[in-house]
Amino acid sequence: MQLRPIFFLILSVSFLKPAVHAQQAPISVQDAPLRVVVAGISHGHAGWILGRMEKKDVIITGIWEPDTALAASAARQYKIPASMFHRNLPALLDEVKPEAVLAFGSVFSHLEVTEVAAPRGVHVMVEKPLAASLTHARKMETLARKHGILLLTNYETSWYPSVHKSLQLSLDSNQTGTLRMARFNHGHQGPKEIGCSKEFLAWLTDPVLNGGGALVDFGCYGANIMTALMKDKAPVSVTAVTRQFKPKVYPKVDDDATIIVDYGNAQAVIQASWNWTFNRKDMELYGDKGAISAPEAATLVLRNTNGRQEQRTISPQEAKVITDPFVYLAAVVRGREKVAPWSLYSLENNVMVVRILEAAKLSAKSGKSVKP
């Protein structure tokens, strides 16, 4: 009889154990969704983030867009509550306290976004290129360093398995040997011709708000990848020629640019244009032992000194590349990924990109080679 209370005590404790074990473990900080604010939506690429609202890895806590008509249109298109749109960026950041800001406005606005976000300790990812001018780029770099934030630049080609595999094969020198020549062909038929929105065209074809025309819009891709290939090496000179093949369509800016970036022992030829027959983002690398061509996002063509070629399809797993820039941003903020110096998203790389573009604009204007 004296054992019954003890028996019931043991029995009751045993029934409690499953209930304790059934409690859901708290989500670790490393696995928590990334809370972001979208700063501007006039960029044609804004749909990349607005169109993934149903995903829970990155959560939009607010959207800053001064253009109320554009905000209303986006709210209807993406079924976003109107209450999420704001016209005051500092107030929005103070209210929702995001971890990062995604800039999808004009290139000129990237500085304003960084000036607001950096002192608040909020990380920033901008659409390519980093800045509309070298003055802006330097100010943004200073702000990022001072306040210890990430300042990343997103390029579509940074998601391409073929680009990452090309970098790996070239940098380990087993495939190309010493790199001598690189060619980058980027662009399309023209932003108006392919149907960009009027809000996007308004600043994309403005020499101040975009920093230039096709030279900036598509010249940045080749400068970005070549900077990664050359690591911390600055060019010896930059020489550029620009044209206005369609002055009635794009009266304020160039619509075609050829940029030669000389490193002394290697050279890059960047062809950036709004006059291509078709949309293209491809590149070729030539060394003293072999060549690499990346004609498409997942296609790689390897050639040896005899010109024999091997075509391969490259998967994201093989290239070890994250194909969603917002997943990448979350991984970096959470410490699962590290931004290597001079890598495609890095601040070091993209300040150099703006240096190259600035030198190209000066060269095209003066008719002379310019040292970045």
Side-chain angles (χ1 to χ4, degrees):
M1 296 293 293
Q2 294 178 349
L3 294 177
R4 290 183 66 187
I6 297 175
F7 171 77
F8 283 119
L9 176 61
I10 293 172
L11 188 62
S12 62
V13 170
S14 68
F15 276 118
L16 286 174
K17 284 183 179 179
V20 172
H21 289 171
Q23 289 179 357
Q24 187 175 4
I27 298 174
S28 67
V29 173
Q30 191 178 48
D31 297 325
L34 185 70
R35 301 175 69 255
V36 305
V37 157
V38 178
I41 58 172
S42 60
H43 197 298
H45 295 169
W48 292 342
I49 184 65
L50 299 180
R52 70 191 308 279
M53 294 285 289
E54 76 285 354
K55 296 184 179 180
K56 303 305 179 184
D57 54 343
V58 176
I59 298 175
I60 298 176
T61 59
I63 302 169
W64 173 62
E65 177 49 63
D67 186 333
T68 55
L70 178 58
S73 175
R76 290 191 299 270
Q77 180 179 355
Y78 296 100
K79 297 179 173 59
I80 301 172
S83 60
M84 290 193 66
F85 290 86
H86 302 258
R87 299 184 65 184
N88 186 310
L89 183 58
L92 174 59
L93 298 191
D94 290 339
E95 177 187 343
V96 302
K97 294 179 171 52
E99 297 169 271
V101 170
L102 307 173
F104 282 97
S106 71
V107 181
F108 189 87
S109 72
H110 292 174
L111 174 58
E112 178 186 2
V113 172
T114 307
E115 286 175 331
V116 174
R120 290 169 168 79
V122 179
H123 304 298
V124 178
M125 176 182 273
V126 303
E127 283 302 292
K128 58 80 188 169
L130 172 66
S133 70
L134 187 55
T135 299
H136 277 204
R138 292 297 191 199
K139 288 180 179 178
M140 292 168 69
E141 180 183 30
T142 299
L143 284 164
R145 305 285 188 209
K146 178 181 177 180
H147 298 285
I149 67 160
L150 294 165
L151 178 51
L152 307 180
T153 305
N154 177 47
Y155 297 77
E156 182 182 341
T157 45
S158 295
W159 326 336
Y160 287 8
S162 62
V163 169
H164 278 260
K165 195 63 179 180
S166 296
L167 289 170
Q168 293 165 13
L169 292 173
S170 180
L171 290 172
D172 71 16
S173 77
N174 290 331
Q175 179 63 37
T176 61
T178 302
L179 182 66
R180 295 302 186 200
M181 169 66 73
R183 300 184 66 88
F184 302 95
N185 305 309
H186 291 94
H188 46 48
Q189 300 95 322
K192 186 172 184 179
E193 287 82 350
I194 67 170
C196 289
S197 69
K198 61 181 177 57
E199 294 86 1
F200 191 13
L201 282 172
W203 64 259
L204 186 61
T205 59
D206 185 288
V208 175
L209 298 180
N210 187 46
L215 183 151
V216 171
D217 189 28
F218 284 111
C220 61
Y221 286 96
N224 174 239
I225 298 169
M226 192 64 183
T227 297
L229 285 165
M230 301 306 292
K231 295 184 177 179
D232 60 349
K233 188 172 183 179
V236 174
S237 67
V238 175
T239 309
V241 175
T242 58
R243 290 288 184 266
Q244 278 186 301
F245 290 127
K246 295 179 282 193
K248 292 184 179 180
V249 181
Y250 308 111
K252 297 180 181 179
V253 293
D254 63 274
D255 54 55
D256 188 271
T258 300
I259 308 167
I260 300 174
V261 188
D262 184 23
Y263 293 87
N265 61 348
Q267 189 179 86
V269 177
I270 299 170
Q271 296 187 116
S273 183
W274 291 343
N275 292 284
W276 289 111
T277 312
F278 51 88
N279 180 33
R280 64 186 307 181
K281 290 184 176 71
D282 56 89
M283 67 180 198
E284 302 165 1
L285 308 177
Y286 299 92
D288 59 3
K289 293 182 180 178
I292 303 171
S293 175
E296 296 174 345
T299 304
L300 211 62
V301 179
L302 308 178
R303 290 183 173 87
N304 58 22
T305 52
N306 293 322
R308 295 171 185 167
Q309 70 177 48
E310 172 195 357
Q311 182 167 315
R312 295 173 56 189
T313 298
I314 309 297
S315 69
Q317 292 75 23
E318 179 183 353
K320 298 178 181 178
V321 60
I322 297 175
T323 56
D324 184 319
F326 314 116
V327 172
Y328 176 79
L329 174 62
V332 172
V333 172
R334 295 286 178 256
R336 299 190 298 268
E337 291 283 330
K338 185 177 180 180
V339 184
W342 302 99
S343 58
L344 298 174
Y345 285 95
S346 75
L347 180 56
E348 296 92 338
N349 181 308
N350 285 286
V351 171
M352 182 62 74
V353 169
V354 181
R355 285 176 59 182
I356 292 171
L357 296 179
E358 193 97 329
K361 287 185 280 187
L362 291 172
S363 174
K365 187 175 181 179
S366 66
K368 300 177 181 179
S369 297
V370 174
K371 183 176 181 179

